[in-house]
Amino acid sequence: MSETLLEIEDLAVTYGVGDAAKVALADIDLILESGQFTAVVGESGSGKSTLANTVVGLLPESATVQASALRLDGRSLLGLSEGQWSGIRGDIVGLVPQDPGASLNPVRTIGSQLAEVFELQKLKLSRSEVRRRSIELLQQVEIDNPERRLRQYPGELSGGMKQRVLIAIAFGLNPKLLVADEPTSALDVTVQSQVLRVFDRLVAEHGTTVLFVTHDIGLATDHASRIVVMRDGRVVEQGDVESIVTAPKSDYTATLVGRVHATTPPPAQRSHTESADEVVRVHNLGKEFRVKGRQKHKVLDGVGFTVRRGETLALVGESGSGKSTTAKIIIGLSSPSSGTVEVLGKDVERLGNRDRREHWRRVQFVYQNPDSALDPRWSVERILEEPLRSFGIGADGSRAKRIATALDNVNLPVSTLSKVAAELSGGQRQRVAIARALVVEPEIILLDEPLSALDVVTQDQIIGLLTDLQQSLGLTYLFISHDLAVVRQISHRVAVLKAGRLVDIGDTQSVFEDPTSQYTRDLIDAVPGRRFQRSLLVGV
């Protein structure tokens, strides 16, 4: 019989004291059996990470924890000192954090950080033995050329490699419970799939119990045996994967599950008004960067496509495929090494100063992360007024009306104008970023991974917003993304880039149902939730 490893009963966590206290968790009951893989799913602010940090003892000092029971491996976790926690972390519970860039020391080699694993275990090993075991850890997580990696620094590794190093460190400590907090959210879908395949293998080999925190219920269905759904600091429902996906008890869970079912079978093709007017023409586009003196690195090679007025073309590919470089050339922030780009009938490279300013008004850009795109010191009103001032629009006193219209277009109340970005949620900040693009009345909007920092519920809201805006304002979108589930919902056509080359292009349904390249097939197969969908189809 399985034994209970983690027992949580009536857990409550608050931040702050008195009237300023904020309830982060309330009435949490959770049991994890030894060897069980449990996923905790919910949108941003649902309390997932607070739950994870409670279990590993990493809550801030402002947090107050109360519970009828909070036991790990038979030991109470209530009221422990930092010294007592240090004896539990690594030995009984380990953590794979969300951001490897922030979790690995940038000024220390990978080898020196792996060596800490053996120091924490108080193993008296020679330098050569530490090196041998460190190489074995990197081999376990399938990192190539491990001898070389030991000498490298985190900045020399890709995001996927850095995440594998964190997994190697976690499993090297051999904890009974492993808490993984959004461990692959920053990775491309194919790299995410590769990293999680390694993770699953190590879990099976070590017999580790896992608490896996994610906003993506598709990932949960692919890897977990049990799912806990959270919202607003409470557990909405929990159960085995099949019961959660096939018979959700709450409307909220059903909304999350709807994202899993949306990727297969195919939805109806998005309709739009057909137009022969090609507002973007990219012909034989090439781009090279010089690195290390005279050496050239080719980022784009012979890329060509068109975008018709009123449609959404999704530009898809992994990091380094050339998606963002293409967008920067289209908007005029970078110059091509070869080929041409025509936007609204004009060659972008040949624009004079006046035409270039008008080009920047008619073609707007929405960036991936609204936190870095919006000045945190400015009010929303100032953020929306700044592009109007820059382009000299509304000098006749119509700026206030334009700002109000832009805010209304993204479904934000007028009261938002007086707030600064830090007072808004992630979804609200992205709406402000879209409103800033809309306020100058553009014809084309380039959206560079605009949903990747948002949870799935907020993603759905922004997708609906973008779709409505396109239909009401006649906008044209170039939508850059590595998330094929999102691409399928929003795009009319899809162009797939691999290492700077166009390997697939066509209407969305055709590309998903009959891709011409193996690379596109691999991207589609890596979409989270595919495993459970296939099992459903087999049972039909």
Side-chain angles (χ1 to χ4, degrees):
M1 290 181 62
S2 298
E3 297 181 353
T4 298
L5 180 64
L6 176 66
E7 181 183 2
I8 299 175
E9 183 180 347
D10 198 24
L11 171 67
V13 176
T14 57
Y15 294 117
V17 294
D19 295 338
K22 177 184 177 182
V23 178
L25 296 177
D27 303 322
I28 303 296
D29 295 323
L30 181 64
I31 297 290
L32 260 66
E33 305 290 346
S34 294
Q36 192 175 69
F37 195 131
T38 299
V40 181
V41 178
E43 58 191 292
S44 298
S46 63
K48 307 185 305 295
S49 292
T50 296
L51 176 60
N53 288 331
T54 301
V55 174
V56 296
L58 292 176
L59 289 172
E61 291 184 0
S62 61
T64 300
V65 180
Q66 295 177 313
S68 299
L70 181 58
R71 286 188 286 267
L72 178 60
D73 198 28
R75 180 173 179 175
S76 176
L77 302 180
L78 293 170
L80 297 183
S81 66
E82 180 57 32
Q84 290 171 317
W85 269 113
S86 64
I88 292 175
R89 293 193 206 103
D91 183 27
I92 301 177
V93 60
L95 174 69
V96 179
Q98 179 175 3
D99 185 1
S103 302
L104 293 172
N105 191 325
V107 297
R108 293 180 56 194
T109 65
I110 298 301
S112 69
Q113 297 185 64
L114 285 171
E116 288 186 347
V117 171
F118 311 109
E119 293 175 11
L120 289 171
Q121 294 175 325
K122 296 181 173 59
L123 297 177
K124 295 182 179 180
L125 303 174
S126 66
R127 182 176 296 181
S128 62
E129 185 66 10
V130 168
R131 184 174 185 277
R132 183 184 68 80
R133 292 201 181 189
S134 297
I135 289 172
E136 288 178 354
L137 287 178
L138 294 183
Q139 289 173 332
Q140 284 181 10
V141 295
E142 299 179 12
I143 287 182
D144 66 326
N145 200 351
E147 295 87 352
R148 178 186 169 213
R149 305 301 180 194
L150 291 179
R151 301 189 300 271
Q152 291 183 305
Y153 293 87
E156 298 177 87
L157 304 184
S158 68
M161 281 191 181
K162 284 185 281 196
Q163 196 59 271
R164 290 178 194 226
V165 170
L166 289 180
I167 292 172
I169 290 172
F171 279 99
L173 292 168
N174 200 27
K176 293 184 178 181
L177 172 65
L178 188 60
V179 178
D181 188 2
E182 299 274 13
T184 58
S185 62
L187 304 178
D188 293 327
V189 64
T190 51
V191 179
Q192 180 185 76
S193 178
Q194 295 163 6
V195 170
L196 288 175
R197 174 177 53 79
V198 171
F199 187 87
D200 286 344
R201 177 177 58 75
L202 291 173
V203 167
E205 290 176 357
H206 290 251
T208 309
T209 307
V210 176
L211 187 67
F212 190 91
V213 175
T214 179
H215 68 266
D216 190 337
I217 198 169
L219 283 183
T221 63
D222 277 347
H223 301 278
S225 57
R226 188 171 180 81
I227 294 177
V228 177
V229 181
M230 294 188 66
R231 188 182 193 188
D232 297 331
R234 296 176 182 270
V235 173
V236 175
E237 65 178 290
Q238 55 183 304
D240 62 83
V241 170
E242 183 171 359
S243 64
I244 290 290
V245 176
T246 59
K249 296 176 182 178
S250 76
D251 292 341
Y252 178 70
T253 305
T255 299
L256 296 180
V257 170
R259 288 297 298 274
V260 182
H261 290 308
T263 51
T264 50
Q269 184 71 18
R270 281 196 62 208
S271 60
H272 73 290
T273 303
E274 288 291 337
S275 172
D277 185 8
E278 296 176 344
V279 293
V280 178
R281 296 178 181 174
V282 177
H283 176 67
N284 200 28
L285 187 62
K287 179 65 177 180
E288 293 179 339
F289 291 107
R290 289 188 179 276
V291 293
K292 295 182 180 179
R294 297 182 178 180
Q295 184 180 354
K296 292 183 179 179
H297 174 59
K298 188 171 288 188
V299 180
L300 295 173
D301 186 7
V303 173
F305 58 84
T306 61
V307 188
R308 296 189 294 270
R309 186 178 298 277
E311 79 167 352
T312 298
L313 175 71
L315 204 56
V316 175
E318 299 171 278
S319 296
S321 62
K323 308 186 302 295
S324 294
T325 300
T326 300
K328 289 176 181 177
I329 292 174
I330 290 173
I331 204 169
L333 295 177
S334 181
S335 297
S337 301
S338 59
T340 59
V341 173
E342 290 184 13
V343 177
L344 297 168
K346 295 184 178 181
D347 187 330
V348 176
E349 271 296 283
R350 298 185 177 183
L351 294 176
N353 290 338
R354 179 177 294 181
D355 286 342
R356 188 169 294 277
R357 280 185 59 79
E358 178 62 12
H359 172 75
W360 285 336
R361 185 195 68 78
R362 299 171 77 185
V363 184
Q364 285 287 300
F365 209 111
V366 175
Y367 293 90
Q368 177 176 359
N369 190 346
D371 291 342
S372 59
L374 305 178
D375 192 318
R377 302 165 299 175
W378 287 9
S379 68
V380 171
E381 183 174 20
R382 186 177 177 185
I383 288 170
L384 298 184
E385 187 180 25
E386 187 272 335
L388 295 175
R389 288 183 178 276
S390 177
F391 287 108
I393 298 172
D396 57 357
S398 64
R399 284 177 185 165
K401 183 177 180 180
R402 283 176 175 266
I403 290 170
T405 299
L407 203 64
D408 183 60
N409 280 334
V410 297
N411 299 324
L412 286 176
V414 175
S415 59
T416 310
L417 290 174
S418 61
K419 296 181 179 180
V420 296
E423 297 179 87
L424 306 178
S425 69
Q428 288 173 325
R429 288 193 290 270
Q430 196 59 284
R431 287 173 186 263
V432 171
I434 294 169
R436 185 177 62 179
L438 293 175
V439 77
V440 296
E441 299 180 358
E443 297 177 51
I444 301 168
I445 299 181
L446 308 185
L447 301 119
D448 191 0
E449 300 276 11
L451 308 179
S452 63
L454 306 177
D455 60 74
V456 292
V457 174
T458 308
Q459 282 183 0
D460 280 344
Q461 295 170 355
I462 300 298
I463 288 171
L465 171 66
L466 291 171
T467 301
D468 292 343
L469 288 171
Q470 185 172 56
Q471 293 174 351
S472 62
L473 302 178
L475 296 169
T476 302
Y477 296 145
L478 181 66
F479 190 90
I480 297 170
S481 181
H482 68 265
D483 189 336
L484 292 189
V486 168
V487 164
R488 189 161 202 180
Q489 286 183 276
I490 198 170
S491 64
H492 301 106
R493 291 192 301 134
V494 178
V496 182
L497 285 174
K498 180 186 179 184
R501 289 179 173 271
L502 193 66
V503 297
D504 238 318
I505 189 167
D507 68 79
T508 302
Q509 188 163 324
S510 298
V511 170
F512 273 80
E513 291 183 353
D514 189 24
T516 59
S517 75
Q518 183 58 48
Y519 176 71
T520 306
R521 295 187 191 98
D522 291 341
L523 287 178
I524 294 170
D525 286 341
V527 173
R530 300 282 292 178
R531 187 190 74 179
F532 193 81
Q533 292 160 355
R534 282 191 287 265
S535 69
L536 287 177
L537 292 174
V538 169
V540 173

